[in-house]
Amino acid sequence: MTSSTRWQSAFTGTSTLIRLGLRRDRIRMGAWSILLAGLLYGIAESWDRLYPTALSRQQLAATLALSPSLTAILGPLFDPLSTGGLTTWRSIAGYTLILGLVECFVVVRHTRADEQDGVAELIDSGVVGAGARAICALIIANLYGLTFALLTTVLLTAAGLPLTGSLALALAIAGACAVFASLSVVAAQVAHSSRGANGISGAAVALFFAISAVGNSTQNSPLIWLSPFGWAEQTRAFAGQRWWLIGLCVVVAALLAALGISIAANRDLGASLIPARLGREVASPHVANPRGLAWRIDRTWLMWWLIGALLLGALEGSILNTSLDAMTSNPALLKLIESLGGSTNLAAAFIVLMIGIFALAACGYGIATILRLRQDELSGRAELELSTAITRTSWASGHLLTGYIGSALVVLAGGLGIGLVYAGSIGQVSTSVGHAAGAALITVPAVWVVLGVTVMALGITPHWSFVGWIVLAWCVIAGWFGVILGLPEWILKTSPFGHLPGWPGAPMNWVPDLILLVITALLLVSGLYGLKRRDIPAS
Amino acid sequence: MKDQGDLSAAAIIDVRGLTKTFGDTTALNGLDLTVHPGQIHGFLGPNGAGKTTTLRVVLGLLAKDSGVAHVFGADPWSQAVSIHRRLSYVPGEVSLWPTLRGGESIDYLTRLRGGADRARISQLQELFDLNPRVKVSAYSKGNRQKVALIAALAVDVPLYIFDEPTDGLDPLMAEVFREEVKALRERERTVLLSSHVLAEVDAVCDHVTIIRDGRTIETGALSDLRHLQRQSLVIETRDAVDDLGQIPGVHDVERHDRIVRCTVEPSALHDVLRRAAAAHVLNLETRPPSLEEMFLRYYDRDPS
């Protein structure tokens, strides 16, 4: 076949693939859209309660003007007086980040992961064009964005916000995420494995987030124009919409998509721009038991998590100092920070707040790592290992250790990143590094409880082993949106993170940490006990 | 061939009246399987008959609902590790760690089994024509199968269990595997080999257990199960052939014009071919019966 006819027929079968893909994804798609849009509705409803008067909102805006670190992370507040403006400010960066990552993983799952698992071979041998899978993945990823956008527009107008602004906010998020989805189509062509493709996409999204954060922390920085986060924020929903920025997202997304699809259509199945290399013939002597194997498999991905946490921590540490002076004199801002971090010592409160983010990320790392055990079980690798002279506990110990220790290291790396850079800028190395590292370690038991739920589900209710992700989602909602949604205290306390002492912003209390460690141990033991007693693979 | 009557030697695998259900589905319904030391034992049944489930119970991966299951005289559910020290297993669907190289996977699996001779691993890699430096994610199903086979054959243990071992292999590699099984027989190792292909079992095994719907329907030395030895014949002749059905050992005769189909025991082959030759043979096809045919003819039910 010549390359031109190959290109012309590249799209054959796309509609069939999309139907198939929607069957695989409809529940996930619905769940994400409902969760994100529903949360946004809750945020929009909260402003009249938190900042009812124009004066209180003006004070908030004045405060923010003095705090580059909050602006860096959340983006600029364009219209403090309107509920829509406040909602946009509070949500747009976080939503673009979360939905962007979701869309990236969706694209990789439908492209490189299918190829790696051999599903693609089955699909491509049917009447299906060479680029059809890439197009299908893109369309499905963007349907995530559009479903979210539609639901958001409906809910925000129902909350009494203007239609135009609601639509602009929803589409600005969906547009920026479309860029990331296209980016990950390219990443799926570059990397040889699905994990590599996920890593490249995730790193790119994080990089763009960092670029816009740095751009937002100084006035009139051109950096904001280099990032889809900046484009989404600068669309200025509810504050004189600049629709052309959504158009920019669409154009950039289309260009990147064309690049990715043309590579996909013209390469061999299973090939990649970074080819797989021949490796060692003999395994390292450490790969002689499940611990050694888990370390061999997990170390690269753990290393990237650590580097990412360290860099992000350093970024936060550097922003922290430039803004603290201006903030200490401002009571309204103090109130805002306290509502998120729960402390009166501003620097300490910020450190606790930031480490809370790393702790949630570390949960994500740990759950994904521990669930490798479930993947091993479903794929049949566990059967192969368990037919040899190892116990089930020994089999599970590999990814459990990399999951548990690795998650603690991720939080610690984030804390050290904050502490080291902040220490360098204020000249009190030992105190602030000690504070940040200590604050990180105090958080670890809460992370381990979330991982413990995953282990228990894996052992006792293996078909529900994903329940750890639901617990994590709950911790995110309770910790980050609980106060703003006006949830009662006892509900917030169902999250293990709700019990942490908040040191060094608040006095140290060892009791919660000890209790969390005991709960962790109980969850672990019950999970391992269940694993010993059940069928493998679970029926 | 080992003597089937030698029951004084304790069975290596002793399964009696085994049952196992998954929700509403009954996978095993009173299954029996006895494997004595030194046997090359074929475990034959159509897909979905319960072969893999039986092997998983024997390995202590699944808990039985009722019945007896002993391996080396011990309970596989509670004594899995000590039993596993004395066996090597290759599952039917081999999945490996995508980021590892083939050679690393072989080393890992053999180390879990207590270690293997490097020279033996290299020899097997050469025999099976496997490049151990390639990432597993780039391997075909056949190559993944080879990795598991090499890792199993490289260690010296009393018992080898193979679940559909040649399914992904090309004919040349399947032959290499059969040679390795013959070498195991010479070293008086015990082999349990599950398959849904009669010819596969016929080529290497001396004993066979045939199961269907989770139940054992026949077991014994292959030489005693005469109907397993029959050949399916299709003979086309110029003249009419005398009635072949009169010859002892000829079964299932069907006639269409000058084409005769029948199944023939080895003892009757000579007579059949002599009569056919007298009628001037134009075409002759012969093959062993498939498992499906066997089920249709001898066990009087469709296997599906």
Side-chain angles (χ1 to χ4, degrees), chain A residues 152-222:
Chain A
T152 296
T153 311
V154 170
L155 286 179
L156 288 186
T157 25
L161 299 188
L163 175 66
T164 330
S166 306
L167 195 64
L169 170 59
L171 288 181
I173 295 169
C177 292
V179 177
F180 297 138
S182 296
L183 206 65
S184 75
V185 170
V186 180
Q189 314 311 316
V190 172
H192 181 73
S193 66
S194 61
R195 204 186 296 171
N198 277 332
I200 294 175
S201 321
V205 173
L207 180 70
F208 282 122
F209 181 76
I211 289 174
S212 85
V214 172
N216 282 331
S217 67
T218 49
Q219 289 286 321
N220 299 323
S221 165

Side-chain angles (χ1 to χ4, degrees), chain B:
Chain B
M1 197 169 288
K2 283 275 159 179
D3 183 9
Q4 166 74 8
D6 184 17
L7 288 172
S8 56
I12 285 192
I13 296 175
D14 179 20
V15 168
R16 270 170 288 139
L18 191 65
T19 64
K20 175 75 181 174
T21 53
F22 299 109
D24 297 336
T25 338
T26 305
L28 301 181
N29 189 11
L31 186 131
D32 303 314
L33 171 67
T34 312
V35 180
H36 287 281
Q39 286 183 351
I40 308 296
H41 199 113
F43 190 37
L44 194 61
N47 290 321
K51 300 188 295 290
T52 301
T53 305
T54 308
L55 297 185
R56 284 177 176 166
V57 172
V58 162
L59 288 165
L61 293 168
L62 303 182
K64 61 177 192 278
D65 290 344
S66 68
V68 176
H70 282 132
V71 184
F72 294 112
D75 171 26
W77 183 249
S78 58
Q79 310 278 317
V81 173
S82 65
I83 289 171
H84 291 172
R85 279 186 219 289
R86 302 160 77 184
L87 64 79
S88 234
Y89 168 63
V90 177
E93 190 70 39
V94 176
S95 175
L96 300 165
W97 298 268
T99 51
L100 256 59
R101 317 286 158 174
E104 283 181 291
S105 311
I106 292 170
D107 286 348
Y108 175 59
L109 291 170
T110 52
R111 284 168 191 173
L112 288 183
R113 295 188 172 119
D117 183 25
R118 168 84 20 224
R120 173 70 174 142
I121 294 178
S122 305
Q123 182 202 6
L124 284 165
Q125 283 171 353
E126 220 160 278
L127 278 173
F128 281 103
D129 192 22
L130 180 88
N131 181 353
R133 297 180 61 208
V134 176
K135 254 192 192 178
V136 163
S137 55
Y139 276 155
S140 65
K141 178 180 185 326
N143 276 334
R144 293 199 303 272
Q145 193 87 22
K146 288 180 195 173
V147 166
L149 284 171
I150 292 169
L153 289 166
V155 293
D156 187 18
V157 285
L159 173 64
Y160 295 83
I161 300 177
F162 303 108
D163 191 2
E164 311 259 357
T166 55
D167 233 23
L169 300 183
D170 60 54
L172 211 61
M173 289 302 137
E175 194 47 45
V176 173
F177 170 73
R178 288 187 199 111
E179 289 304 317
E180 286 299 322
V181 173
K182 282 173 191 161
L184 290 177
R185 192 214 312 254
E186 274 154 33
R187 280 157 49 212
E188 301 198 339
R189 301 295 182 265
T190 309
V191 175
L192 177 60
L193 188 156
S194 100
S195 177
H196 63 271
V197 186
L198 180 60
E200 173 80 43
V201 168
D202 194 41
V204 288
C205 298
D206 46 44
H207 285 74
V208 66
T209 294
I210 303 172
I211 68 163
R212 188 181 58 199
D213 295 338
R215 208 191 279 271
T216 304
I217 51 177
E218 184 126 44
T219 184
L222 209 59
S223 53
D224 295 341
L225 303 178
R226 316 241 355 177
H227 54 264
L228 300 188
Q229 303 290 312
R230 290 178 196 173
Q231 294 281 320
S232 284
L233 254 58
V234 182
I235 308 165
E236 186 179 359
T237 51
R238 194 186 59 200
D239 310 324
V241 191
D242 294 345
D243 189 9
L244 293 175
Q246 294 165 342
I247 306 172
V250 176
H251 310 267
D252 317 308
V253 181
E254 287 175 42
R255 278 172 182 279
H256 301 284
D257 255 346
R258 296 285 143 82
I259 298 175
V260 181
R261 290 167 202 274
C262 57
T263 59
V264 181
E265 287 174 20
S267 61
L269 261 181
H270 178 73
D271 282 342
V272 170
L273 290 182
R274 206 163 43 81
R275 288 200 195 183
H280 196 114
V281 176
L282 295 174
N283 196 5
L284 176 70
E285 283 175 37
T286 170
R287 58 181 174 79
S290 72
L291 190 59
E292 288 71 21
E293 284 173 328
M294 216 178 70
F295 274 111
L296 275 174
R297 285 183 190 155
Y298 307 110
Y299 307 118
D300 153 61
R301 223 203 81 183
D302 199 303
S304 56

Side-chain angles (χ1 to χ4, degrees), chain A residues 115-161:
Chain A
E115 215 163 316
Q116 195 178 299
D117 299 342
V119 178
E121 200 172 346
L122 199 66
I123 294 172
D124 285 5
S125 65
V127 188
V128 164
R133 274 182 306 106
I135 300 165
C136 161
L138 259 181
I139 291 176
I140 289 174
N142 279 297
L143 280 176
Y144 272 74
L146 291 175
T147 331
F148 160 79
L150 181 70
L151 205 57
T152 296
T153 311
V154 170
L155 286 179
L156 288 186
T157 25
L161 299 188

